[in-house]
């Protein structure tokens, strides 16, 4: 079993033991990903990046884990293969951001 599959198994065991899948429809999982991303942002609000990391690294890693957990739940429920969807998105990003046009630039693909 690869590491991602192992994580999904652990997450699904956790929610099945609690009978929580009934609450985990795709819409609410998507909302939860966004809410957890906001909780992650809270750790950076009014601080420089380095300052936030120094002060809040534990909370940052916990919120990042929440985002990943909800993302793995959603991908599992929609029967999406994480490796496939990430590789496909990287291919799309590669086309949008060819190295010769985007290297060292922080512009959106529509502006390069
Ligand atoms: Mg959280």
């Amino acid at each position: 079993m690869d590491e991602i599959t192992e994580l999904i198994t652990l997450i699904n065991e956790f929610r099945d033991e609690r009978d929580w899948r009934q609450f985990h429809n795709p819409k609410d999982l998507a909302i939860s990903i966004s809410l957890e991303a906001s909780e992650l942002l809270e750790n950076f609000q009014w601080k420089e990046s380095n300052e936030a990391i120094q002060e809040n690294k534990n909370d940052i890693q916990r919120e990042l884990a929440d985002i990943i957990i909800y993302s793995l739940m959603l991908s599992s429920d929609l029967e999406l293969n994480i490796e496939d969807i990430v590789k496909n998105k990287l291919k799309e990003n590669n086309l949008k951001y060819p190295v010769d046009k985007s290297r060292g630039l922080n512009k959106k693909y529509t502006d390069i």
Side-chain angles (χ1 to χ4, degrees):
M1 196 184 300
D2 66 53
E3 289 176 11
I4 293 173
T5 305
E6 196 178 326
L7 284 176
I8 291 170
T9 300
L10 288 172
I11 290 164
N12 284 338
E13 280 174 9
F14 178 90
R15 59 180 174 158
D16 287 339
E17 284 167 354
R18 289 157 183 81
D19 193 23
W20 282 355
R21 256 189 226 248
Q22 58 182 312
F23 308 117
H24 293 165
N25 62 76
K27 177 208 42 124
D28 286 315
L29 289 176
I31 289 171
S32 298
I33 292 168
S34 180
L35 292 175
E36 295 300 342
S38 295
E39 290 179 7
L40 174 64
L41 279 177
E42 258 190 318
N43 289 290
F44 291 93
Q45 188 179 30
W46 314 125
K47 294 175 174 66
E48 296 297 326
S49 284
N50 287 341
E51 184 188 359
I53 290 164
Q54 273 188 338
E55 288 179 20
N56 300 327
K57 190 151 187 193
N58 285 342
D59 287 332
I60 289 167
Q61 73 182 27
R62 291 166 70 219
E63 300 308 343
L64 186 57
D66 282 338
I67 295 165
I68 294 166
I69 288 167
Y70 278 125
S71 298
L72 291 175
M73 283 184 193
L74 185 58
S75 68
S76 170
D77 290 355
L78 297 181
E79 297 179 348
L80 301 171
N81 180 291
I82 291 285
E83 191 178 345
D84 289 346
I85 65 175
V86 170
K87 283 182 176 173
N88 285 339
K89 190 59 173 72
L90 281 173
K91 271 185 205 161
E92 281 180 32
N93 291 350
N94 243 330
L95 292 174
K96 282 184 188 168
Y97 297 97
V99 173
D100 61 328
K101 287 188 180 170
S102 54
R103 185 172 167 79
L105 289 181
N106 60 359
K107 290 184 178 172
K108 191 173 177 180
Y109 66 95
T110 50
D111 298 325
I112 60 174

Short mmCIF file of all heavy atoms in Angstrom, two decimals, residues 36 39 63 66, ligand 1:
data_model
loop_
_atom_site.label_atom_id
_atom_site.label_comp_id
_atom_site.label_asym_id
_atom_site.label_seq_id
_atom_site.Cartn_x
_atom_site.Cartn_y
_atom_site.Cartn_z
N GLU A 36 -10.77 25.42 6.73
CA GLU A 36 -9.48 25.08 7.32
C GLU A 36 -8.36 25.93 6.71
O GLU A 36 -7.41 26.28 7.39
CB GLU A 36 -9.19 23.58 7.14
CG GLU A 36 -10.15 22.65 7.88
CD GLU A 36 -10.18 22.84 9.39
OE1 GLU A 36 -9.24 23.43 9.96
OE2 GLU A 36 -11.16 22.39 10.01
N GLU A 39 -8.40 29.01 8.59
CA GLU A 39 -7.74 28.83 9.89
C GLU A 39 -6.22 28.86 9.73
O GLU A 39 -5.51 29.41 10.58
CB GLU A 39 -8.20 27.52 10.54
CG GLU A 39 -9.65 27.58 10.99
CD GLU A 39 -10.15 26.28 11.61
OE1 GLU A 39 -9.36 25.35 11.82
OE2 GLU A 39 -11.37 26.21 11.88
N GLU A 63 -3.29 23.01 11.04
CA GLU A 63 -4.29 23.46 10.06
C GLU A 63 -3.98 22.90 8.67
O GLU A 63 -4.91 22.54 7.94
CB GLU A 63 -4.35 24.99 10.02
CG GLU A 63 -4.71 25.66 11.34
CD GLU A 63 -5.97 25.13 12.00
OE1 GLU A 63 -6.79 24.46 11.35
OE2 GLU A 63 -6.13 25.38 13.21
N ASP A 66 -5.34 19.52 8.64
CA ASP A 66 -6.80 19.53 8.46
C ASP A 66 -7.17 19.67 6.98
O ASP A 66 -8.07 18.98 6.49
CB ASP A 66 -7.44 20.70 9.24
CG ASP A 66 -7.55 20.41 10.73
OD1 ASP A 66 -7.56 19.22 11.11
OD2 ASP A 66 -7.67 21.38 11.50
MG1 LIG B 1 -8.54 23.41 11.90
#
